[in-house]
Amino acid sequence: MSTLLTRALEKRANIWSQMQEIQSRAETENRDALTAEERETWDRMEAELTGLSSDIERMERAARMDAVQRDQAVVTTAGGDSEGRDGDQDAAYRDAFGRFIRRGMSALSNEQRELMLANHSEIRAAATSPGSAGGYFIPTDTLNKITETMKVYGGLLSEVNVITTASGNTLNWPTNDDTANVGAILTENTQVTEQDVTLGQKDLGAYTYTSKMIRASLALLQDSAFDTEGFIARKLGERIGRAVAAHLATGTGTNQPEGLFTNATAGKTGAAGQTTSIVYDDLIDLQHSVDPAYRGTARWATSDSGLKVIRKLKDDQGRPLWEPSLQAGLPSTLLGAPVVVDNGIAAPAAGAASVGFGDLRAAYVARQVAGGQMMRLEERYADYLQVGFLGFLRFDGTPDDGAAFRVYKHPAT
């Protein structure tokens, strides 16, 4: 864990402790409300807490992405010290990939080809030339950095049940809901009644997601002073990630995956007038609309704008329902359950399902085929002295156990 993240967590914990002290003081003195000074202090600390929470979530997300990229670059070989071997493998992979980006597979040795093939699941590519299309990578007297505009996406993918298959053939599995059937007392000399088990079936296909193509000039690949391969690989992966994330939450199921929220059962519908609001009792009702069999591993799921509404809610004693995490790697909680933020989920609005609760792994299953891959189009643009790169991922997802998940739905008016 980085020093910056540790300090941010400690600072957030300290602020939260001070806010709790203000609340406890009012309860000890049997007051119905905070004083004007306490309210001003509370509001200031709450604003600071919000900013810190956003920073912490961003740093934790970056750490997870970095860990995934390093894991994907490991190739297993026999013998030697494991720590030193991993470092050698990382260096060898970077050298092999740099050669591949600049000159293609034909420039690699047999060992480098095997290394690249073993790590084919990484989505990698490069850029194009003048100006904003890539020329800014070529050094003049500029700062040795790249400014990247960010926009958060995803969240659900790390919580649902994801399986990886070697091929994209249709994947079928049986389903059964026998919860409505119960046993009975049998009187003496009475024939046992029959009650059949009803089976169903679900399936997953494999939609092909593409990052769209990027063309890179050979001059750019040779002259760039930046980690062009790492930068463009990240951009292609993020493009595919944004497309997948949107469908995981609200995909229609027609020519794309069906989202977790798309046809989910409403566990609670807000009262008239609550088109953009949520009340404390609604969340309690939503939580208890999910059977206790699932609640032990259940999570909340909402967008950042939905979380903003929820964070302002307080219980009957005036205590915030949302509790920030005070430890790295642990999510913040709402009514005792972790909160997953995914901006593919609808924001609070008339008729929208903006909050969900349930066991996400039981409720939704996603399938990807052999990880993401990259294609290098060398001959197609040879007369332009350019190379084309594109990433793709074969992926599908569908709700699985509908009883494991319920949503809060805002009224139409």
Side-chain angles (χ1 to χ4, degrees):
M1 181 170 59
S2 69
T3 304
L4 184 61
L5 177 57
T6 300
R7 288 201 299 264
L9 284 164
E10 291 174 350
K11 186 175 182 180
R12 183 168 71 172
N14 183 50
I15 294 173
W16 180 246
S17 177
Q18 294 179 55
M19 294 173 69
Q20 294 297 89
E21 287 177 6
I22 293 174
Q23 186 70 39
S24 298
R25 191 182 310 123
E27 292 176 355
T28 301
E29 296 174 3
N30 201 27
R31 288 189 270 122
D32 294 332
L34 303 179
T35 65
E37 183 180 358
E38 287 174 334
R39 190 176 299 110
E40 181 181 352
T41 303
W42 179 282
D43 291 342
R44 174 176 52 78
M45 288 193 295
E46 186 175 32
E48 190 173 1
L49 192 72
T50 299
L52 273 172
S53 297
S54 297
D55 291 342
I56 289 169
E57 290 169 4
R58 190 176 298 114
M59 285 185 280
E60 290 181 334
R61 187 164 53 247
R64 288 194 299 270
M65 291 175 64
D66 184 53
V68 169
Q69 290 173 355
R70 284 199 300 269
D71 290 343
Q72 289 178 334
V74 172
V75 180
T76 301
T77 57
D81 176 71
S82 63
E83 184 176 353
R85 186 171 64 249
D86 289 346
D88 292 344
Q89 290 166 349
D90 288 347
Y93 179 82
R94 287 193 297 270
D95 179 63
F97 190 76
R99 287 174 175 267
F100 170 69
I101 285 290
R102 289 170 172 79
R103 300 181 182 87
M105 191 68 78
S106 60
L108 304 184
S109 66
N110 291 335
E111 292 78 8
Q112 289 174 324
R113 291 186 186 188
E114 291 177 3
L115 187 61
M116 290 295 299
L117 291 172
N119 288 276
H120 73 283
S121 62
E122 283 200 37
I123 301 174
R124 298 257 180 184
T128 46
S129 203
S132 61
Y136 294 135
F137 281 154
I138 300 174
T140 53
D141 290 328
T142 58
L143 289 174
N144 187 26
K145 69 183 292 291
I146 305 171
T147 299
E148 299 182 52
T149 301
M150 297 186 296
K151 185 175 182 180
V152 70
Y153 65 91
L156 287 176
L157 187 59
S158 63
E159 302 296 338
V160 301
N161 182 22
V162 180
I163 58 177
T164 300
T165 59
S167 67
N169 297 339
T170 300
L171 190 64
N172 301 307
W173 69 96
T175 63
N176 168 249
D177 181 0
D178 201 53
T179 56
N181 299 325
V182 297
I185 295 175
L186 183 66
T187 59
E188 189 176 358
N189 298 322
T190 302
Q191 185 180 15
V192 176
T193 57
E194 294 183 8
Q195 180 65 64
D196 290 336
V197 173
T198 302
L199 298 176
Q201 179 175 275
K202 289 183 178 292
D203 63 79
L204 283 170
Y207 296 103
T208 300
Y209 287 81
T210 175
S211 62
K212 301 181 180 178
M213 187 169 63
I214 293 176
R215 279 196 280 170
S217 72
L218 293 177
L220 171 64
L221 296 177
Q222 293 170 352
D223 297 346
S224 176
F226 298 94
D227 180 14
T228 307
E229 60 212 44
F231 173 76
I232 299 302
R234 188 167 62 252
K235 296 299 108 177
L236 293 186
E238 288 173 358
R239 288 180 182 182
I240 294 175
R242 292 187 191 101
V244 169
H247 292 161
L248 276 177
T250 56
T252 64
T254 302
N255 298 323
Q256 61 182 245
E258 180 182 336
L260 174 64
F261 279 70
T262 303
N263 294 305
T265 301
K268 177 66 178 181
T269 299
Q274 292 177 203
T275 53
T276 58
S277 63
I278 305 170
V279 300
Y280 171 56
D281 288 350
D282 290 341
L283 295 179
I284 295 293
D285 289 342
L286 176 59
Q287 195 171 41
H288 285 267
S289 69
V290 175
D291 192 90
Y294 301 102
R295 292 211 296 264
T297 52
R299 282 167 161 71
W300 299 92
T302 188
S303 64
D304 187 63
S305 56
L307 182 61
K308 180 180 178 181
V309 173
I310 291 171
R311 287 189 56 192
K312 298 176 181 178
L313 299 179
K314 297 177 176 60
D315 64 15
D316 296 337
Q317 281 73 48
R319 295 170 299 192
L321 301 183
W322 180 81
E323 295 186 17
S325 170
L326 305 181
Q327 184 177 343
L330 295 180
S332 300
T333 60
L334 172 66
L335 296 174
V339 181
V340 177
V341 177
D342 190 313
N343 279 341
I345 300 170
S354 67
V355 181
F357 180 78
D359 185 336
L360 302 184
R361 287 188 62 81
Y364 197 88
V365 59
R367 180 259 194 105
Q368 62 180 15
V369 180
Q373 299 181 34
M374 187 196 74
M375 294 184 66
R376 175 187 172 100
L377 308 180
E378 195 169 48
E379 297 297 330
R380 181 176 179 182
Y381 302 106
D383 54 336
Y384 291 95
L385 295 181
Q386 293 177 339
V387 179
F389 298 93
L390 63 92
F392 69 92
L393 174 70
R394 299 181 69 193
F395 184 91
D396 195 9
T398 187
D400 192 3
D401 186 351
F405 186 75
R406 295 287 184 267
V407 298
Y408 170 78
K409 191 170 184 179
H410 295 270
T413 56

